[in-house]
Amino acid sequence: MQTVAVIDYGMGNLHSVAKALEHAGSHQVLVTGDPAVIREADRIVLPGVGAIRDCMAEIRRQGIDELVREVSQDRPFLGVCVGMQALMQRSEENGGVDCIGLFPGAVRRFPGGMQEEGESLKVPHMGWNEVSHVLDHPLWHGIPDRARFYFVHSFYVEAGNPRQVVGRGHYGLDFAAALADGSRFATQFHPEKSADCGLQLYANFLAWDGRW
């Protein structure tokens, strides 16, 4: 049986991610912070919630940043929510935090005073929102363009390379909802909270060979 490692660095909605992955396929799901187990896994997920400063502090303290750089090169790798933001070069949250740097670009805070059709938009952006398919990708298989996914975030990804943006959301402004590069894929939304489309994305991830 193939394995998928959900990286446990002390922060993240690990239980819900693991349960969704178990429901989406037949892989053995391992929630672990053990580098040896992570290196042996066939697929890897980096989840994350909370403040990026705290996430990156734990990621660096445990050497997860170097491990992620290593293992995401040669097998399917998925970053989710703050796990996506941690893959960028830098976040302006908490006064500015350097991140892992696998994707060029920065994490910005949604500006105050945003409006849409005369309605004030609250920050954080919380709830269901459409995701437009910018580029075709195996992880979009069976998921309609502009399907709705569940978001919870006050900060958004400003991609440094537009060719890596495979999904786009809009909340007062356009933002990168999904990025891809080689065997790496990352989502700002939470697939595990996104009903059938989220489970389909996880199923696609479990079936994906990492080529794009």
Side-chain angles (χ1 to χ4, degrees), residues 5 21 31 44 48 60 85 88-89 102 123 137 166 172 181 203 211:
L21 286 164
V31 177
I44 297 162
R60 289 207 166 89
Q85 296 183 5
M88 307 308 294
Q89 291 172 307
L102 290 185
V123 178
H137 191 280
V166 294
D181 180 42
R211 289 184 291 185

Side-chain angles (χ1 to χ4, degrees), residues 9 46 52 55-56 59 81-89 99-102 107:
Y9 55 96
L46 178 69
I52 193 68
C55 287
M56 285 307 306
I59 284 171
C81 195
V82 174
M84 173 188 183
Q85 296 183 5
L87 300 178
M88 307 308 294
Q89 291 172 307
C99 300
I100 297 173
L102 290 185
V107 181

Side-chain angles (χ1 to χ4, degrees), residues 112-187:
M114 293 190 302
Q115 290 197 338
E116 201 75 39
E117 297 180 352
E119 296 289 330
S120 296
L121 299 179
K122 296 179 181 179
V123 178
H125 169 215
M126 183 179 298
W128 296 87
N129 204 339
E130 292 180 351
V131 174
S132 299
H133 297 176
V134 180
L135 295 172
D136 190 28
H137 191 280
L139 265 66
W140 293 143
H141 175 73
I143 298 173
D145 187 23
R146 302 183 70 179
R148 296 170 69 83
F149 290 87
Y150 194 82
F151 290 83
V152 183
H153 60 131
S154 299
F155 293 78
Y156 67 93
V157 166
E158 183 179 81
N161 182 354
R163 290 176 294 183
Q164 294 176 335
V165 179
V166 294
R168 182 175 291 120
H170 182 85
Y171 189 72
L173 49 78
D174 288 342
F175 64 89
L179 296 175
D181 180 42
S183 58
R184 299 161 177 155
F185 196 94
T187 69

Side-chain angles (χ1 to χ4, degrees), residues 5-9 11 14 30 32 38 44-47 64 68 77:
V6 178
I7 299 179
D8 181 3
Y9 55 96
M11 301 186 71
L14 306 179
L30 307 169
T32 179
I38 294 168
I44 297 162
V45 178
L46 178 69
I64 298 296
V68 163
F77 181 93

